């Protein structure tokens, strides 16, 4: 099936939110990042089907849109777990023991960076400085910033995310 | 005298002891500066006042704010909008000041942007906010809603004929978005690759239109300048630089944190008095004064004033003013490896010295740290620091910034690097690695 024959994989709500962004911009392509992030808010990630439909909606090539999507680390082109755990590996957290913490987080979740737990509950990713260096070392679980993180409390922290 | 007169940025927060709500902000004189600018002054008068105040950009480069605004004043060459953009993509490792301002005092940023937009006559303003800043996003959206409801944003701001649409763009990530022309590409929905300059954004910025980009803390300085004047602002600073500064300390101190202090406060006062000194058992060896992309300073520099000129004369940059401390338990080679890993990962990949050079440097540092260093490696690092960090080899300052901590570490901690190679192991690690090499 060629790209142009696809019926839009986007929902009415997604299209409405994207059109609202476009209405404030000089052209449709300028909404590319906003649109990718809107789809991700609704679906957790951006699939090939979503990407093709978005490209049609924005009147741009899907190759160009994918080059944008893959540039940004907060746009996921693979499915992620119900919760995304990010561990800061930048210098202030490094000074306060981020390397050891990274090992402990991997051991606690039983996965390595870039992986998702088998039950689909957690995806683990590294992240650059979260801007909370006075609370180093820090992690972020979904929208929650946590720090300073004590390795012994990790089990308890993750238990709060079903 | 209220705290707001000596601490215009966060004095409100300290008085309230919590987030500053709109009513608190206004009772301390908030929105008085913007009201004065829009109802009693011309755009040129506002620019002149900000010029006279001596305010310099707080994002790291220290460019005079009034002079920057002046580049975009008057009628644009071709009809169409001008843009004002706030760089709230705080991602410089070790920097946590803009988050605090947006979370605890969002109205001061909005007021500063209203004044800036009026000064350059921009009708559309953006806050480019990093994607991980969820709490600042919520606080800003709430504050923008309140400002709109009160007639401080939207059509006829303060009842004048000036309109301003203020919008928040939530970023998709990547450190390079903090570079102002990369930020503009991201705002346009593109990959965040820095643009070739000139033209600079005041001539051709967002969507090719005249655009001014300022940092969060820079805008937050403006309202009090409008209320209290340029002379008052100049007098706040202890040295040649005007105003106050949000200084921060992270690392093994007793009280890591953030303080609004007179510009030019010494490093020693910030570390020993405000951060309450090093934790027991740790000695301060060096520090990055203003984020990951600034040169190390060492003991001989600790009595220097933290202002633009003084830190520059010591061979570094004040940068964001939030310092990262390296204590004597930290291996300088491994710390550089951590820093270069960050810069290698965050290169946008467009210019060859940056895309290829920084990963090469990272891999060399990893080898040295793991006991696989060879004689001659330090000379190769010296050459790379000079070439990758050299002027005009790349479009933007990402690669030169990446080389600042490395070149200074090679200077101040050279013995540590040499020891790694001589011993074929990291002397900071208690376990001894086998020096045997197979190849």
């Amino acid at each position: 099936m060629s790209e142009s024959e696809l019926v839009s994989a986007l929902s009415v709500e997604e299209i409405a939110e994207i059109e609202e962004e476009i209405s404030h911009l000089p052209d449709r392509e300028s909404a590319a990042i906003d649109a990718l992030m809107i789809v991700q808010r609704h679906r957790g990630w951006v699939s090939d089907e979503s990407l093709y439909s978005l490209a049609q909606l924005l009147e741009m090539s899907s190759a160009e849109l994918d080059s944008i999507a893959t540039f940004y680390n907060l746009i996921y082109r693979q499915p992620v777990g119900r919760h995304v755990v990010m561990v800061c590996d930048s210098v202030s957290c490094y000074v306060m023991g981020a390397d050891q913490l990274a090992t402990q987080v991997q051991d606690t979740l039983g996965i390595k960076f870039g992986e998702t737990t088998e039950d689909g509950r957690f995806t683990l990713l590294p992240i650059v400085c979260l801007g909370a260096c006075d609370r180093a070392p820090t992690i972020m679980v979904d929208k929650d910033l946590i720090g300073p993180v004590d390795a012994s409390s990790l089990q308890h922290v993750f238990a709060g995310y079903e | 005298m209220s705290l707001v007169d000596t601490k215009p940025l966060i004095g409100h927060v300290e008085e309230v002891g919590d987030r500053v709500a709109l009513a608190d902000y206004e009772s301390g004189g908030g929105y008085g500066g913007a009201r004065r600018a829009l109802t009693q002054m011309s755009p040129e008068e506002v620019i002149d006042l900000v010029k006279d105040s001596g305010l310099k950009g707080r994002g790291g480069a220290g460019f005079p704010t009034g002079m920057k605004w002046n580049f975009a004043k008057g009628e644009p060459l071709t009809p169409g909008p001008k843009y004002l953009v706030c760089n709230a993509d705080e991602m410089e490792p070790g920097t946590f000041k803009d988050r605090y301002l947006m979370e605890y005092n969002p109205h001061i940023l909005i007021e500063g942007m209203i004044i800036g937009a009026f000064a350059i006559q921009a009708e559309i303003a953006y806050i480019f906010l990093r994607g991980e800043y969820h709490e600042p996003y919520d606080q800003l959206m709430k504050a923008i809603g309140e400002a709109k409801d009160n007639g401080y944003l939207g059509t006829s701001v303060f009842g004048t004929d000036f309109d301003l649409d203020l919008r928040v763009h939530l970023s998709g990530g990547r450190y390079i978005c903090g570079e102002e022309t990369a930020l503009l590409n991201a705002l346009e929905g593109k990959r965040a690759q820095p643009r070739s300059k000139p033209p600079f954004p005041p001539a051709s910025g967002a969507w090719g239109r005249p655009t001014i980009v300022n940092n969060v803390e820079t805008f937050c300085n403006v309202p009090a300048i409008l209320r209290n004047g340029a002379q008052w602002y100049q007098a706040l600073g202890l040295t040649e630089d005007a105003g106050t500064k949000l200084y921060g300390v992270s690392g093994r101190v007793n009280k890591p944190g953030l303080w609004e202090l007179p510009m030019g406060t010494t490093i020693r006062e910030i570390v020993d008095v405000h951060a309450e000194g090093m934790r027991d058992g740790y000695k301060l060896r060096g520090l990055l004064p203003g984020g990951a992309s600034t040169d190390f300073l060492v003991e001989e520099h600790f009595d220097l004033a933290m202002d633009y000129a003084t830190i520059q004369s010591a061979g570094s940059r004040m940068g964001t003013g939030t310092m990262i401390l390296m204590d004597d338990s930290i291996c300088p080679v491994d710390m550089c490896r951590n820093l270069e890993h960050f810069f290698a990962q965050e290169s946008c990949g467009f210019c060859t010295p940056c895309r290829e050079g920084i990963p090469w440097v990272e891999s060399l540092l990893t080898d040295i740290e793991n006991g696989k260093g060879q004689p001659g490696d330090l000379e190769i690092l010296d050459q790379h620091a000079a070439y990758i960090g050299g002027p005009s080899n790349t479009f933007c300052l990402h690669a030169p910034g990446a080389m600042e901590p490395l070149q200074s570490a090679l200077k101040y901690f050279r013995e540590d690097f040499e020891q790694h190679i001589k011993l074929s192991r990291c002397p900071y690690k208690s376990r001894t690695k086998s020096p045997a090499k197979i190849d």
Side-chain angles (χ1 to χ4, degrees):
Chain A
M1 181 162 58
S2 82
E3 203 180 299
S4 58
E5 290 164 352
L6 276 172
V7 177
S8 181
L10 305 174
S11 70
V12 177
E13 292 80 16
E14 286 166 317
I15 293 171
E17 286 178 41
I18 294 164
E19 289 293 347
E20 152 66 19
E21 290 296 333
I22 293 170
S23 72
H24 296 279
L25 293 164
D27 53 58
R28 301 182 72 81
E29 284 186 27
S30 292
I33 296 166
D34 299 313
L36 289 161
M37 289 177 74
I38 286 168
V39 167
Q40 185 163 297
R41 268 200 294 281
H42 284 269
R43 295 163 194 259
W45 68 296
V46 181
S47 67
D48 288 351
E49 290 71 26
S50 300
L51 188 101
Y52 292 144
S53 296
L54 270 181
Q56 282 186 323
L57 187 67
L58 299 172
E59 295 168 10
M60 65 195 292
S61 88
S62 55
E64 192 181 356
L65 186 61
D66 202 15
S67 82
I68 295 165
T70 52
F71 186 90
Y72 293 97
N73 62 299
L74 298 178
I75 295 171
Y76 307 137
R77 286 287 279 117
Q78 291 177 41
V80 291
R82 294 196 294 283
H83 306 288
V84 175
V85 179
M86 292 173 164
V87 181
C88 174
D89 63 6
S90 290
V91 65
S92 295
C93 285
Y94 159 83
V95 165
M96 300 307 286
D99 285 358
Q100 294 88 316
L101 180 65
T103 307
Q104 286 148 347
V105 172
Q106 291 179 89
D107 290 348
T108 306
L109 294 177
I111 49 173
K112 292 189 164 42
F113 284 98
E115 295 179 350
T116 300
T117 54
E118 267 180 30
D119 58 5
R121 190 168 156 207
F122 292 110
T123 293
L124 178 60
L125 297 171
I127 192 72
V128 296
C129 184
L130 287 165
C133 315
D134 51 343
R135 289 192 268 160
T138 58
I139 66 172
M140 187 171 255
V141 185
D142 299 336
K143 290 185 174 186
D144 304 328
L145 178 67
I146 304 160
V149 182
D150 175 9
S152 64
S153 70
L154 284 172
Q155 284 283 6
H156 179 73
V157 168
F158 295 142
Y161 299 88
E162 256 319 304
Chain B
M1 197 167 77
S2 101
L3 264 182
V4 180
D5 293 319
T6 50
K7 297 183 177 185
L9 301 173
I10 59 168
H12 265 129
V13 184
E14 291 181 11
E15 270 178 1
V16 176
D18 197 359
R19 297 196 167 105
V20 180
L22 178 61
D24 294 321
Y25 185 65
E26 295 204 274
S27 70
Y31 285 108
R35 190 176 275 110
R36 174 162 179 251
L38 269 69
T39 59
Q40 297 171 29
M41 297 170 76
S42 70
E44 289 75 20
E45 284 170 337
V46 174
I47 292 176
D48 287 342
L49 178 61
V50 173
K51 261 195 212 167
D52 292 344
S53 75
L55 171 63
K56 291 180 182 171
R58 301 295 198 241
F63 192 84
T65 306
M67 195 190 288
K68 192 188 258 190
W69 290 5
N70 204 45
F71 293 145
K73 77 171 182 186
E75 279 294 307
L77 292 173
T78 53
K82 289 184 196 173
Y83 294 98
L84 183 79
V85 178
C86 173
N87 185 344
D89 194 54
E90 184 169 63
M91 255 196 201
E92 180 69 29
T95 304
F96 49 103
K97 63 188 183 67
D98 297 341
R99 169 198 285 280
Y100 187 86
L101 285 167
M102 292 185 284
E103 260 190 66
Y104 285 86
N105 206 6
H107 282 287
I108 198 172
L109 173 60
I110 296 169
E111 185 180 3
M113 290 187 72
I114 295 169
I115 296 165
F118 174 74
I120 67 160
Q121 293 287 293
E123 289 184 17
I124 305 170
Y126 283 97
I127 298 173
F128 189 99
L129 185 68
R130 70 175 290 194
E132 298 92 337
Y133 272 19
H134 303 291
E135 194 58 44
Y137 177 80
D138 292 344
Q139 295 303 323
L140 280 172
M141 294 309 280
K142 179 169 170 269
I144 288 171
E146 290 169 344
K148 272 185 192 155
D149 291 345
N150 282 274
Y152 306 159
L153 289 171
T155 49
S156 303
V157 178
F158 297 112
T160 65
D161 58 3
F162 181 69
D163 302 339
L164 180 62
D165 183 14
L166 175 60
R167 303 184 59 79
V168 178
H169 172 94
L170 205 57
S171 174
R174 298 303 295 276
Y175 171 69
I176 199 64
C177 291
E179 200 277 346
E180 69 174 359
T181 60
L183 182 151
L184 296 175
N185 276 339
L187 196 60
E188 293 180 15
K190 298 172 182 159
R191 288 167 73 102
Q193 277 156 347
R195 298 173 180 174
S196 176
K197 295 165 278 271
F200 290 92
S204 177
W207 294 282
R209 305 297 310 167
T211 303
I212 292 294
V213 184
N214 288 126
N215 167 260
V216 173
E217 189 185 349
T218 310
F219 280 122
C220 292
N221 273 275
V222 174
I225 294 171
L226 267 287
R227 277 202 309 275
N228 301 334
Q231 273 192 325
W232 163 83
Y233 188 76
Q234 290 270 7
L236 288 175
L238 299 175
T239 53
E240 277 193 12
D241 281 321
T244 58
K245 177 79 191 80
L246 279 181
Y247 293 113
V249 174
S250 64
R252 281 205 176 79
V253 286
N254 285 310
K255 197 184 144 201
L258 195 66
W259 309 273
E260 182 177 2
L261 300 169
M263 181 66 94
T265 303
T266 66
I267 292 172
R268 207 177 288 282
E269 183 187 328
I270 295 166
V271 174
D272 286 352
V273 177
H274 300 283
E276 297 179 7
M278 300 303 289
R279 290 190 195 172
D280 276 349
Y282 294 99
K283 193 175 171 299
L284 178 59
R285 274 195 82 194
L287 55 86
L288 302 168
S293 62
T294 58
D295 288 77
F296 276 98
L297 295 179
V298 291
E299 176 71 35
E300 65 187 271
H301 305 120
F302 294 165
D303 286 311
L304 295 179
M306 277 284 277
D307 66 28
Y308 299 100
T310 310
I311 300 301
Q312 194 159 3
S313 67
S316 187
R317 292 186 301 118
M318 186 174 74
T320 60
T322 43
M323 49 185 96
I324 305 149
L325 271 48
M326 186 182 81
D327 61 75
D328 58 352
S329 74
I330 303 293
C331 169
V333 176
D334 199 43
M335 183 159 164
C336 285
R337 179 204 53 77
N338 173 278
L339 290 162
E340 298 311 327
H341 170 75
F342 168 82
F343 288 112
Q345 175 185 292
E346 295 304 317
S347 169
C348 85
F350 196 84
C351 306
T352 310
C354 184
R355 181 187 63 241
E356 306 296 330
I358 305 176
W360 181 252
V361 164
E362 183 199 346
S363 109
L364 209 50
L365 288 166
T366 305
D367 279 355
I368 296 172
E369 174 62 16
N370 290 337
K372 294 179 193 160
Q374 306 271 3
D377 279 358
L378 299 191
E379 289 68 31
I380 294 175
L381 284 177
D382 287 334
Q383 284 167 7
H384 276 67
Y387 177 68
I388 299 170
S392 305
N393 288 337
T394 47
F395 269 5
C396 82
L397 294 174
H398 181 86
M403 292 302 111
E404 286 183 28
L406 177 66
Q407 70 187 11
S408 50
L410 285 165
K411 181 170 152 197
Y412 296 122
F413 312 118
R414 198 160 190 101
E415 278 180 21
D416 288 280
F417 285 81
E418 286 166 350
Q419 274 242 309
H420 279 73
I421 295 173
K422 202 172 143 206
L423 300 174
S424 292
R425 67 178 175 88
C426 172
Y428 289 79
K429 290 202 174 83
S430 51
R431 64 200 166 87
T432 313
K433 285 202 176 111
S434 165
K437 287 174 76 86
I438 294 161
D439 49 334

